[in-house]
Amino acid sequence: MEEIQLFLDEAQSLMKKAVDHTSSELVKIRAGKAMPNFLDGIVVSYYGAPTPLQQVSSITTPDARTLAIKPWERSLIGEIEKAIINSDLGLNPQNNGEMVMLTIPPLTEERRKSLVKQVKNECENGKISIRSIRKDTNESLRKLQKDGAPEDEVKRAEDTVQKYTDKFSTKIDELFAKKEEEIMKV
């Protein structure tokens, strides 16, 4: 039935988005080495407009523990420093008049364990989203059945939704394992 296929396609698409969102949240959790996407959430005031840091500067990694932020305009150095200090990154920027340097401190064992817990929470949120999508899709399928859709087609569709749920939950588990390994590696 066409309507059933629409529900299945939407469920698969939403579950993929949940995995992608979880993945993007995990990227923001730093693993002790400098990565430009670590600054993805930083917004600076550029001529009064809030603008993402990447749009007003180039961000490079001169070495494994340093980020160099070179603004397109020198007048932005103070704004960049202020934005980094006000963020929850816990880093102290140094400015040499040309660029802002961030030194990423090595992680302590305690901090690593705390980051793994944070990763686990993000992954669990992703799985909750997937299970919620499964529940909503199955409810929609049952409504279709009440409205006259064949029971065996609805049952097959529910089985397919469960397969999607398992597949995307496994992907989130893989993301967790990879990020945990990255964080715990000294």
Side-chain angles (χ1 to χ4, degrees), residues 11-170:
Q12 186 174 19
S13 169
L14 290 172
M15 287 181 186
K16 183 179 181 336
K17 285 181 184 170
V19 170
D20 291 345
H21 176 75
T22 301
S23 177
S24 71
E25 288 301 309
L26 294 184
V27 164
K28 295 176 187 172
I29 299 174
R30 71 183 182 96
K33 59 181 179 244
M35 296 185 331
N37 55 10
F38 181 53
L39 300 171
D40 279 357
I42 305 288
V43 177
V44 296
S45 176
Y46 183 60
Y47 293 108
T51 309
L53 183 59
Q54 296 84 328
Q55 292 181 15
V56 297
S57 63
S58 67
I59 303 169
T60 57
T61 51
D63 63 55
R65 296 228 178 265
T66 310
L67 284 173
I69 306 158
K70 186 168 174 86
W72 308 134
E73 299 175 23
R74 275 195 192 163
S75 61
L76 283 173
I77 288 179
E79 282 293 330
I80 292 171
E81 280 187 303
K82 192 163 50 170
I84 292 169
I85 290 169
N86 292 337
S87 73
D88 60 355
L89 297 177
L91 297 174
N92 292 321
Q94 289 107 30
N95 125 33
N96 65 10
E98 298 256 332
M99 61 175 56
V100 176
M101 303 295 280
L102 292 174
T103 304
I104 312 292
L107 297 172
T108 63
E109 187 68 22
E110 189 180 308
R111 180 71 178 133
R112 288 176 195 277
K113 287 178 181 172
S114 150
L115 288 174
V116 168
K117 281 183 187 172
Q118 192 179 344
V119 168
K120 192 173 188 118
N121 285 339
E122 284 299 336
C123 289
E124 190 53 41
N125 289 341
K127 285 181 165 185
I128 289 169
S129 296
I130 289 171
R131 290 192 296 265
S132 173
I133 293 164
R134 175 188 61 191
K135 179 178 160 265
D136 294 345
T137 304
N138 284 342
E139 285 175 3
S140 299
L141 290 169
R142 287 188 200 104
K143 281 181 190 163
L144 274 182
Q145 185 178 341
K146 285 181 183 169
D147 294 343
E151 185 178 339
D152 59 332
E153 280 190 36
V154 170
K155 278 288 176 216
R156 264 195 305 273
E158 286 178 345
D159 291 344
T160 303
V161 169
Q162 185 57 49
K163 285 178 187 160
Y164 291 161
T165 303
D166 296 342
K167 173 182 153 188
F168 289 107
S169 290
T170 302

